[in-house]
Amino acid sequence: MWASINELKERIHAGSSEEIVAQYLDRIGKSKLNAFIHTVGESALSRAKEIDKNDIEGPLAGIPVAIKDNISTKGIQTTCASNILKGYIPPYDAHVIERLKEAGAVIIGKTNMDEFAMGTSTETSFYGATKNPWDLDRVPGGSSGGSAAAVAGGEAPLALGSDTGGSVRCPASFCGVVGLKPTYGVISRYGLIAYANSLEQIGPFATSVRDVVTLFDVIAGYDPRDSTSVDKEVNYSSALMNDVRGLNIGVPDEYFGEGTDEKVEKAVWDAIHTLEDLGATWKKVAMPHTKYALSAYYIIAMSEASSNLARFDGMRYGLRTEDQDWHTTFSQVRAAGFGDEVKRRILLGTYALSAGYHDKYYLKALKVRTLIKQDFERAFKDVDVLITPTMPYPAFRLGEKIDDPMSLYLADVDTVPINLAGVPSISIPCGFSDGLPIGMQIIGKHFDEATVLRTAYTFEENTDFHNKRPEGS
Ligand code: GLN
């Protein structure tokens, strides 16, 4: 059930997309992972049948894809894993969904996530936590935990997530799959339900760099409906070269700080040495503002969230109460519809933006954001990519951190600076600790996905970590 896209394409050419889709749906039906909020079996099977019958062509013709439930899908319920959007059926497709459909992909369902993408463990979902396929007592990471678990558990060959501060890379790391957060502006956010719009990007998941690139090529590209979309067409598959000779790697000590598990640190260093053996060189680089990244990120993300989530007022979408005046409806719907973590962030974000505190918190965080961006610009004068752990430790236990929001926020220490700077980064498997996957993060310059992908692909071609599967799941 972990076929590559090329293997699936061969089978589809022989006329059996329907059979493939049915197999995945069957596996999802029997799963213990809770990776999907819901599936769309009937429409997926009829689309697959149509592709088989009419020999429909396309880079993803007949291939099943799972979609995070904060990406709008026309006619398919989209809830952001929140009670407040229960029953909401978008009247339009996100740009990435339009692209997928044009490419012949078959959407099989919507995946579980932290409510409104706020979290690091997929435990804040209204629909219950997703489980890690490598150990059912552990979290899959978050917030795109359903997408990562689906791919790792053989329930979908490809999936989409979104990454505001690590939500593609964290679950990729915890579930032992590949996840890419592209440069801000490369993939249209049209139809992505916003959490913190200045930080987030949609990103692809797969079990290999090659398959991530196949999906990335389909969904990337200019869209005039997203004002931050960048008009730049690139063909990323040309980056898939098994060659890192002459590549300069930067290693920032700040990303191997206190709290980083020894085995994680060792696995990432081993990976750097593997790349060195293949012809790359490495040197230490200084990223002195990294220590302020978490505080700046959470102020900015919560401030944007408090504004973005104001639209959920009980009038326009999903949940509502009847026969009340507007103020009562607004507060009752929000009290019943949002979970604790979402409420906490709306409150803190509103506070950070309020008169008297705006300069002290929000404006200051924006200034720190600029300093962090400058750290990256300085480092990239000397090196081509940066390599760090994706997460400071492997997947933790379900329930272990959920009552301590601060410890969950701290887990994002190595992923949030990348979103503040808007640069691209990928997480790929690079080792194991007591049977749990470890992820390494490769970070690149703005719009230099090609070098990030080449580095990741070369590592993958010369190692075996990405071929390990959680067979018991
Ligand atoms: N864990 C981070 C947060 O809760 C990142 C989430 C995300 O990338 N969507 O904000």
Side-chain angles (χ1 to χ4, degrees):
M1 283 317 291
W2 288 272
S4 71
I5 300 307
N6 280 339
E7 284 161 5
L8 291 176
K9 275 185 180 170
E10 271 174 36
R11 287 177 56 193
I12 292 164
H13 275 306
S16 63
S17 170
E18 190 187 355
E19 193 185 302
I20 289 168
V21 170
Q23 274 175 1
Y24 280 104
L25 289 169
D26 184 52
R27 191 166 167 91
I28 297 165
K30 294 181 184 141
S31 170
K32 296 193 187 87
L33 300 178
N34 195 27
F36 286 83
I37 290 177
H38 62 269
T39 49
V40 284
E42 223 169 278
S43 68
L45 287 168
S46 75
R47 176 72 179 140
K49 211 182 268 179
E50 193 183 9
I51 287 164
D52 291 339
K53 203 167 120 214
N54 302 324
D55 281 328
I56 291 173
E57 299 278 336
L60 292 177
I63 307 280
V65 184
I67 309 292
K68 187 176 182 179
D69 206 29
N70 60 351
I71 298 175
S72 303
T73 39
K74 186 176 177 178
I76 304 175
Q77 182 181 250
T78 300
T79 68
C80 291
S82 179
N83 187 24
I84 209 162
L85 279 177
K86 204 169 168 188
Y88 167 60
I89 297 178
Y92 68 100
D93 275 327
H95 180 250
V96 292
I97 302 297
E98 290 174 355
R99 288 269 178 122
L100 282 175
K101 288 182 174 171
E102 282 160 23
V106 178
I107 289 159
I108 53 170
K110 305 297 293 283
T111 57
N112 203 7
M113 54 185 279
D114 281 298
E115 187 179 359
F116 282 100
M118 298 174 186
T120 308
S121 62
T122 313
E123 290 171 286
T124 69
S125 167
F126 178 69
Y127 298 93
T130 294
K131 293 172 180 160
N132 189 314
W134 295 87
D135 178 347
L136 298 180
D137 292 330
R138 290 182 187 263
V139 302
S143 64
S144 316
S147 290
V151 171
E155 297 177 12
L158 296 174
L160 288 186
S162 68
D163 190 311
T164 314
S167 280
V168 166
R169 291 159 290 153
C170 160
S173 170
F174 281 6
C175 291
V177 297
V178 180
L180 171 71
K181 186 213 82 81
T183 307
Y184 188 76
V186 163
I187 296 179
S188 168
R189 288 180 296 104
Y190 177 78
L192 170 68
I193 298 175
Y195 152 28
N197 48 288
S198 83
L199 297 158
E200 58 211 5
Q201 277 288 285
I202 292 170
F205 286 102
T207 54
S208 70
V209 176
R210 176 178 292 281
D211 288 353
V212 152
V213 168
T214 303
L215 179 53
F216 184 39
D217 264 338
V218 166
I219 59 174
Y222 181 60
D223 172 19
R225 294 168 300 185
D226 171 358
S227 61
T228 60
S229 172
V230 177
D231 196 355
K232 224 177 190 166
E233 282 298 336
V234 194
N235 176 358
Y236 299 99
S237 54
S238 59
L240 293 179
M241 283 183 295
N242 182 357
D243 185 2
V244 288
R245 282 170 303 169
L247 182 85
N248 292 317
I249 300 168
V251 187
D253 272 339
E254 292 83 353
Y255 285 71
F256 294 78
E258 204 189 313
T260 306
D261 181 291
E262 268 174 34
K263 287 185 182 158
V264 170
E265 189 167 341
K266 180 170 182 315
V268 174
W269 271 110
D270 286 349
I272 294 166
H273 291 131
T274 300
L275 290 166
E276 189 179 20
D277 291 342
L278 294 165
T281 56
W282 64 266
K283 64 188 257 188
K284 294 268 179 92
V285 293
M287 310 281 285
H289 298 97
T290 307
K291 56 178 176 288
Y292 305 118
L294 269 177
S295 324
Y297 168 81
Y298 274 99
I299 296 277
I300 294 169
M302 290 181 188
S303 299
E304 291 185 20
S306 73
S307 160
N308 281 324
L309 271 60
R311 73 191 65 170
F312 302 108
D313 57 2
M315 295 289 153
R316 288 170 281 190
Y317 311 95
L319 199 69
R320 73 177 297 164
T321 52
E322 299 294 336
D323 302 329
Q324 311 271 11
D325 64 83
W326 187 80
H327 284 285
T328 316
T329 301
F330 184 87
S331 55
Q332 281 186 353
V333 162
R334 288 166 73 87
F338 288 138
D340 287 349
E341 184 58 27
V342 174
K343 285 180 192 160
R344 180 179 299 122
R345 294 190 188 205
I346 292 173
L347 286 172
L348 286 169
T350 306
Y351 179 79
L353 288 178
S354 58
Y357 293 106
H358 175 271
D359 291 7
K360 200 169 160 198
Y361 297 115
Y362 182 66
L363 220 56
K364 199 161 201 174
L366 290 185
K367 289 179 183 166
V368 172
R369 183 176 190 171
T370 302
L371 293 173
I372 287 166
K373 197 163 161 249
Q374 287 168 352
D375 273 2
F376 282 94
E377 284 162 3
R378 224 176 297 113
F380 283 130
K381 284 201 174 115
D382 275 350
V383 297
D384 304 310
V385 292
L386 298 166
I387 292 188
T388 73
T390 306
M391 299 301 290
Y393 33 70
F396 44 88
R397 288 186 187 283
L398 286 156
E400 189 180 324
K401 292 183 190 284
I402 194 66
D403 296 325
D404 181 3
M406 198 58 108
S407 81
L408 271 176
Y409 301 166
L410 289 172
D412 300 333
V413 60
D414 297 332
T415 51
V416 298
I418 285 78
N419 301 70
L420 288 167
V423 292
S425 106
I426 197 169
S427 180
I428 61 170
C430 75
F432 287 87
S433 169
D434 302 324
L436 298 172
I438 296 173
M440 127 167 114
Q441 173 167 243
I442 306 170
I443 308 159
K445 296 173 199 172
H446 284 112
F447 303 107
D448 194 15
E449 272 80 358
T451 307
V452 171
L453 294 168
R454 176 161 62 88
T455 310
Y457 181 71
T458 305
F459 182 77
E460 190 175 276
E461 284 291 290
N462 292 280
T463 54
D464 207 26
F465 304 110
H466 67 291
N467 289 323
K468 301 260 189 309
R469 304 284 174 242
E471 302 285 355
S473 73

